[in-house]
């Protein structure tokens, strides 16, 4: 029954309101000093804006979307600010773990005035990013003692009954109070949301199918029928399966999944953007996007065939000669290094086993992602296409748009249980804030295949945590070719090249020991050492000379952009070296800002070199590795300090 308002307690009952901009919505919110909100989608940034820009005194928010709200927090600084308001009692956020609440209810209070809003807007400014979007509001203005206000509060309490009793951020407060670690480190750990293997039933389902596929061996017919009992899975998983497999020729009911191998392969590629690939002791197997099965392992037929396949790879790399670059050999070496990673990527789970993934910490630093950066038109997207075609027998022809990357991406790409690498093209810097789950990508691994991850970007240096987990390559070139050059490039990229089948045949015949990864000339591991040796063997088999630009050591070691920047600083007199207490100290010109020293020099040191910045100095603990990496005698390096001393005593 609708409440009956008297003229005494109802200040006004506004008509329906149509809103065409965020500003119109914001005027209601900014007028309040206390708020209770129920919203399906909620923006942490909008919460902070109300406190920082509109002097909000107290805010309660019920987040209706059934999710871990940490996924919406893009940085440690935002988490720290939210926790501070929560600790003071000014902010309370409640989550509904078991049920979506799709309501939108705003109870605003300003002194003795109450405004109640219901309608379509979520508690986020992203709802207004499309300038053609229109939202509606019902606006009720009333007194605190009014029936309207009481009924709104009762409805709010009904929603509160669906929420966890402990407010969001309570666990972070407990961790901060209990830990002796710096707050930043505690918050970074807290932000790392992991999805335990046992909690993901779809991953369990796809893993079971992978086991069946592995039992077929090499003799697989795409028309072969596979089936899986579904009785052990929850109702929510059944519902998700209906959404995933409904468009395909698949029998799916409460107790059974049944289809052909090829149709299952089509469904995986369509739903996850990556095909199903698995590795056995004797071969690499792929279900193509079109539903075919391909055996990606066979012995080389003859040296001439291998020679032709290598010629195709070199033809692609030598298109660099028609690009603008100040070091064509370095550009080719980095591109070849990237192709070696593509060849290795389907075997990443074998390396994860050897390094103890799921049992030993920091495995992600031993099994790195591949990160390729370069300016626009550096050919990064074409490179990904060439690599994907090469390892898929020309059946996978395009990478995934980097704009699709989100906080759920790491879990989504693990769900289909495939060893085919995931290649994201053109990931923007701000997007890395959504990829926090990659920090612990291998932590919950239990032996089921995870895909290797390859990312290209225009950004030179992504977040520090990502740098520690990535193999970095630089495409320092720009393609500006004419139409004939582009047509020639398409011919090379789209040509059939069976090289990967022969590579995997040779690669799988090797007994791989972790000791094989230790570089004899440095104290670093070369994760691609066995790949490198296998490709060199195929060059020898083809009786084809190894190109001068072939990276016999990691290309990023020999052609290191970071080392080039240190050399430029030395040559331009921006720094001098001093030895203090068994440490090497690089003293930079005072005119260089701290962020310039961090970005250009500290963050461009290799991962194995321990160093830190203090003011305008970088203190280097790993002295011998640094001097080997720099390839300069630091005791003979002059700099601005020498010039100052000379000037002082003249």
């Amino acid at each position: 029954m609708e409440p009956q308002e008297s003229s005494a307690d109802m200040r006004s009952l506004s008509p329906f309101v149509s809103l065409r901009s965020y500003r119109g919505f914001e005027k209601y919110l900014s007028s309040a000093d206390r708020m209770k909100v129920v919203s399906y989608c909620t923006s942490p940034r909008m919460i902070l804006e109300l406190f920082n820009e509109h002097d909000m005194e107290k805010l309660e928010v019920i987040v209706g979307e059934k999710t871990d709200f940490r996924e919406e927090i893009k940085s440690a600084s935002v988490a720290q600010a939210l926790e501070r308001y929560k600790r003071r009692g000014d902010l309370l956020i409640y989550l509904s773990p078991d049920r979506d609440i799709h309501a939108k209810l705003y109870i605003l209070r300003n002194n003795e005035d109450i405004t109640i809003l219901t309608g379509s807007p979520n508690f986020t400014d992203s709802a207004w990013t499309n300038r053609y979007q229109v939202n509606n509001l019902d606006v009720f203005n009333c007194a605190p003692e009014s029936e309207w206000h009481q009924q709104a509060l009762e409805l709010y309490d009904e929603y509160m009954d669906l929420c966890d009793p402990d407010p969001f951020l309570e666990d972070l407060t407990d961790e901060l109070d209990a830990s002796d670690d710096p707050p930043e480190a505690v918050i970074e750990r807290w932000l790392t949301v992991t999805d335990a293997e046992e909690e993901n039933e779809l991953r369990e389902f796809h893993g079971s199918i992978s086991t069946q596929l592995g039992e077929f061996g090499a003799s697989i017919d795409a028309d072969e029928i596979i089936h899986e009992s579904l009785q052990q899975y929850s109702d929510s998983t059944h519902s998700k399966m209906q959404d995933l497999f409904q468009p395909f020729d698949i029998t799916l009911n409460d107790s059974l999944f049944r289809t052909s191998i090829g149709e299952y392969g089509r469904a995986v590629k369509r739903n996850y953007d990556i095909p199903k690939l698995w590795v056995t002791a004797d071969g690499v197997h792929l279900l193509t996007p079109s539903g075919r099965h391909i055996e990606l392992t066979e012995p080389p037929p003859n040296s001439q065939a291998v020679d032709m396949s290598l010629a195709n790879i070199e033809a692609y790399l030598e298109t660099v000669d028609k690009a603008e670059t100040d070091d064509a050999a370095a550009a080719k070496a980095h591109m070849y290094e990237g192709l070696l990673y593509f060849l290795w990527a389907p075997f990443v789970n074998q390396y994860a086993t050897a390094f103890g993934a799921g049992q030993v910490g920091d495995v992600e630093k031993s099994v790195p992602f591949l990160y390729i950066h370069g300016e626009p038109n550096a050919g990064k997207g074409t490179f990904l296409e060439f690599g994907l075609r090469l390892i898929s027998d020309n059946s996978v022809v395009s990478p995934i748009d980097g704009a699709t990357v989100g906080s759920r991406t790491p879990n989504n790409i693990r769900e289909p249980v495939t060893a085919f690498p995931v290649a994201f093209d053109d990931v923007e810097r701000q997007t890395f804030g959504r990829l926090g789950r990659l920090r612990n990508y291998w932590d919950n691994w239990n032996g089921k295949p995870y895909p290797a991850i390859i990312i290209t970007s225009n950004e030179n240096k992504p977040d520090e945590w990502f740098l520690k987990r990535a193999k970095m390559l630089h495409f320092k070139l720009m393609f500006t070719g004419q139409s004939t050059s582009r047509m020639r490039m398409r011919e090379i990229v789209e040509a059939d090249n069976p090289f990967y089948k022969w590579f995997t045949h040779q690669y799988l015949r090797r007994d791989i020991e972790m000791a094989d990864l230790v570089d004899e000339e440095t104290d670093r591991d070369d994760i691609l050492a066995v790949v490198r040796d296998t490709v060199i063997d195929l060059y020898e088999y083809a009786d084809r000379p190894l190109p001068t630009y072939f990276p016999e050591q990691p290309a990023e070691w020999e052609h290191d952009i970071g080392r080039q920047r240190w050399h430029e600083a030395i040559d331009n007199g921006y720094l001098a070296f001093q030895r203090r207490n068994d440490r090497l100290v690089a003293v930079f010109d005072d005119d260089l800002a701290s962020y310039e020293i961090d970005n250009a020099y500290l963050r461009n040191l290799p991962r194995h070199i321990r160093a830190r910045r203090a003011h305008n100095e970088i203190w280097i603990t790993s002295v011998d590795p640094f001097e080997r990496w720099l390839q300069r005698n630091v005791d003979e390096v002059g700099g601005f300090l020498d010039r100052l001393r000379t000037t002082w005593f003249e």
Side-chain angles (χ1 to χ4, degrees), residues 254-319:
D254 290 343
S255 60
L256 180 67
F257 171 92
R258 185 177 186 275
T259 190
S260 68
I261 289 175
E263 192 70 359
Y264 169 73
R266 288 182 59 240
V268 168
K269 179 61 171 69
R270 179 75 62 85
N271 283 305
Y272 297 101
D273 254 346
I274 44 177
K276 189 83 169 187
L277 181 144
W278 65 101
V279 178
T280 61
D282 57 355
V284 179
H285 316 267
L286 176 69
L287 298 181
T288 72
S290 64
R292 293 185 298 125
H293 167 259
I294 297 177
E295 185 74 13
L296 288 175
T297 302
E298 62 182 42
N302 53 63
S303 60
Q304 292 81 9
V306 177
D307 181 69
M308 289 179 62
S309 69
L310 289 168
N312 171 254
I313 293 172
E314 291 176 21
Y316 167 67
L317 296 168
E318 288 164 10
T319 59

Side-chain angles (χ1 to χ4, degrees), residues 194-204 207 414 417 444-450:
T194 58
D195 180 23
E197 178 79 24
E198 61 270 18
E199 293 177 357
N200 192 321
E201 289 187 340
L202 274 174
R203 198 182 302 168
E204 182 181 337
R414 288 183 293 200
V417 189
N444 294 310
W445 188 72
N446 68 355
K448 296 176 182 177
Y450 283 7

Side-chain angles (χ1 to χ4, degrees), residues 156-276:
Y156 182 86
D157 289 341
E158 285 185 26
Y159 295 134
M160 181 67 78
D161 289 340
L162 301 174
C163 297
D164 278 336
D166 291 332
F168 177 67
L169 297 165
E170 187 74 20
D171 57 338
L172 176 57
T173 298
D174 292 342
E175 290 181 33
L176 287 168
D177 291 343
S179 178
D180 294 328
D181 293 338
E184 295 78 9
V186 176
I187 293 171
E188 285 288 352
R189 286 198 301 268
W190 180 83
L191 281 173
T192 303
V193 187
T194 58
D195 180 23
E197 178 79 24
E198 61 270 18
E199 293 177 357
N200 192 321
E201 289 187 340
L202 274 174
R203 198 182 302 168
E204 182 181 337
F205 163 78
H206 288 295
S208 179
I209 297 296
S210 293
T211 300
Q212 289 188 45
L213 294 173
E215 292 171 352
F216 280 101
S219 56
I220 301 179
D221 187 334
D223 293 329
E224 189 89 30
I225 299 299
I226 53 175
H227 52 82
E228 170 74 3
S229 171
L230 302 182
Q231 293 180 345
Q232 70 271 35
Y233 298 119
S234 66
D235 290 343
S236 62
T237 299
H238 280 270
S239 178
K240 291 175 184 176
M241 287 183 177
Q242 291 289 347
D243 293 338
L244 289 172
F245 298 125
Q246 187 273 332
F248 300 92
D249 185 13
I250 293 174
T251 298
L252 184 66
N253 54 44
D254 290 343
S255 60
L256 180 67
F257 171 92
R258 185 177 186 275
T259 190
S260 68
I261 289 175
E263 192 70 359
Y264 169 73
R266 288 182 59 240
V268 168
K269 179 61 171 69
R270 179 75 62 85
N271 283 305
Y272 297 101
D273 254 346
I274 44 177
K276 189 83 169 187

Side-chain angles (χ1 to χ4, degrees), residues 308-372:
M308 289 179 62
S309 69
L310 289 168
N312 171 254
I313 293 172
E314 291 176 21
Y316 167 67
L317 296 168
E318 288 164 10
T319 59
V320 170
D321 293 329
K322 297 186 179 297
E324 295 180 7
T325 177
D326 56 6
D327 193 339
K332 293 175 192 173
H334 275 245
M335 292 175 76
Y336 215 136
E337 186 77 17
L339 289 179
L340 296 181
Y341 186 97
F342 261 106
L343 301 179
W344 171 82
F347 300 99
V348 67
N349 292 275
Q350 282 73 9
Y351 283 74
T353 299
F355 283 115
Q359 303 172 12
V360 179
D362 288 340
V363 168
E364 55 276 342
K365 298 176 183 178
S366 300
V367 190
F369 313 125
L370 177 62
Y371 183 76
I372 301 169

Side-chain angles (χ1 to χ4, degrees), residues 434-451:
R434 307 174 196 159
L435 286 172
R437 289 183 175 184
L438 288 182
R439 288 179 176 91
N440 305 89
Y441 186 68
W442 294 99
D443 276 8
N444 294 310
W445 188 72
N446 68 355
K448 296 176 182 177
Y450 283 7

